[in-house]
Amino acid sequence: MARTAEGLAGLVEVLARALVDQPDRVRVELARGDRHPRVELTVDPDDIGKVIGKDGRTAQSMRVLLNAAATKQGFNRAFLDVVD
Amino acid sequence: MSSNVDESNEHEELPTANAGEARSGDDDGGDAVASEPEEFVEDGRADRALDLIVDVLTRMGMDCTVDLMENEPEDPESDIRIEISGTDASRLIGKKGDTLAALQFICNRVINRPTLSRRHVLIDADGYRQRREQALATMAQRLGQQAVDEGKIITFEPMSAQDRRIVHLALAKFTGVLTKSEGKGTARRVQIIPVREAT
């Protein structure tokens, strides 16, 4: 019943779109070939602070949710990169 | 793979949501009720928080239901309480509640944009937070007694602002001690300080 990693990218997209001022500029990409799923998030340069947060707390919270989702879907873990 | 998050939301939102009725006053402008500044008008953010959480949990593939709860009488009316239950509730709590805390943190980020008045979003799963708060309050009072008995300052581990608040409240009316927080950011910790009666 292993789900695909695409769902993980979709999760990051929902979170990022809710957080930023310009949701239409949110892009997520799933990096392939790694041992674990890796989601690459790109947002408008003005919105980077909103997805990272003070001391990286927002990005860290997204990683916690991403890992919970990854575990549920049969992966050991998953990574999130905020691309700048 | 059934994720009944969506449907359950529609069923269960109705009886508990205090959001719907109050929202008619949405576009009246903020200054309409100057005589009753205390009156709280639901601005639709409770529903937005609920929608966001349902959306996120669905994407996470979690099997659970999400409810908007009535606030406790002692809580501010502006608080938004959301309860998660079902098969994956424990998975959503995470280690030491970290997954629940992450969900709550992001939800608060989204709901509390600058310029808007602050509305706390409080998310619980299977009563986890409630149980923990009670345990923490009980421990705080036990340590408060210990501080009095031994005449020593007792310092907690670093805790979140919410947890520190619980300790402060639990000892607010406890005679013989005062509490304060020290340190910065994530290292901030509560101290219980015994005070000598001025006799």
Side-chain angles (χ1 to χ4, degrees):
Chain A
M1 68 132 247
R3 292 198 174 196
T4 58
E6 271 80 12
L8 300 177
L11 169 65
V12 172
E13 186 173 7
V14 165
L15 294 171
R17 286 178 65 97
L19 288 162
V20 299
D21 287 332
Q22 298 189 64
D24 293 342
R25 302 265 288 143
V26 170
R27 298 281 175 272
V28 291
E29 221 165 305
L30 191 62
R32 297 175 183 279
D34 285 5
R35 213 158 75 83
H36 304 288
R38 176 182 296 276
V39 181
E40 290 176 349
L41 170 65
T42 313
V43 299
D44 186 276
D46 289 341
D47 278 332
I48 282 203
K50 295 212 171 56
V51 292
I52 292 176
K54 190 178 168 192
D55 295 333
R57 231 183 126 187
T58 308
Q60 197 48 45
S61 295
M62 285 200 280
R63 290 192 179 101
V64 170
L65 295 179
L66 180 64
N67 271 317
T71 312
K72 166 78 184 174
Q73 295 175 22
F75 299 102
N76 281 332
R77 59 167 309 173
F79 293 96
L80 170 65
D81 287 342
V82 180
V83 181
D84 60 2
Chain B
M1 214 43 242
S2 74
S3 170
N4 57 349
V5 169
D6 271 320
E7 305 146 51
S8 61
N9 164 28
E10 280 176 9
H11 295 309
E12 302 183 24
E13 185 187 354
L14 295 172
T16 48
N18 48 8
E21 306 139 53
R23 220 184 309 141
S24 52
D26 227 355
D27 296 327
D28 287 356
D31 52 353
V33 280
S35 56
E36 291 174 73
E38 297 282 304
E39 192 176 329
F40 170 74
V41 178
E42 173 57 52
D43 54 8
R45 278 192 278 171
D47 279 346
R48 261 200 78 204
L50 188 68
D51 288 347
L52 174 69
I53 291 166
V54 168
D55 203 2
V56 167
L57 298 187
T58 305
R59 295 282 179 163
M60 290 175 79
M62 295 295 170
D63 188 7
C64 58
T65 62
V66 186
D67 288 314
L68 193 56
M69 308 300 281
E70 296 281 356
N71 285 344
E72 301 292 327
E74 68 268 23
D75 292 335
E77 272 187 292
S78 58
D79 279 7
I80 300 169
R81 282 192 171 268
I82 287 167
E83 176 85 33
I84 299 166
S85 55
T87 317
D88 279 328
S90 59
R91 191 187 283 276
L92 281 165
I93 293 167
K95 281 182 201 142
K96 291 187 171 182
D98 65 347
T99 309
L100 200 56
L103 185 63
Q104 179 170 305
F105 180 80
I106 288 185
C107 200
N108 271 296
R109 275 280 110 126
V110 173
I111 295 305
N112 292 295
R113 310 312 299 254
T115 76
L116 292 174
S117 65
R118 184 158 178 78
R119 296 193 62 184
H120 280 114
V121 184
L122 302 152
I123 308 176
D124 204 347
D126 272 359
Y128 168 80
R129 222 174 259 286
Q130 205 180 0
R131 284 196 303 278
R132 238 188 110 265
E133 284 176 14
Q134 268 159 13
L136 186 56
T138 307
M139 182 174 84
Q141 287 178 340
R142 187 167 48 76
L143 291 175
Q145 190 56 52
Q146 194 184 327
V148 171
D149 293 345
E150 298 178 3
K152 277 194 244 168
I153 294 176
I154 291 176
T155 307
F156 278 76
E157 294 294 298
M159 289 188 296
S160 70
Q162 288 148 18
D163 286 351
R164 294 198 304 272
R165 178 170 177 271
I166 292 161
V167 174
H168 289 307
L169 288 177
L171 292 171
K173 289 178 182 161
F174 198 94
T175 40
V177 298
L178 59 84
T179 57
K180 68 173 189 177
S181 296
E182 265 203 350
K184 285 201 168 147
T186 52
R188 207 160 158 78
R189 39 176 80 192
V190 182
Q191 291 186 319
I192 304 176
I193 302 160
V195 284
R196 204 155 287 163
E197 305 295 317
T199 42

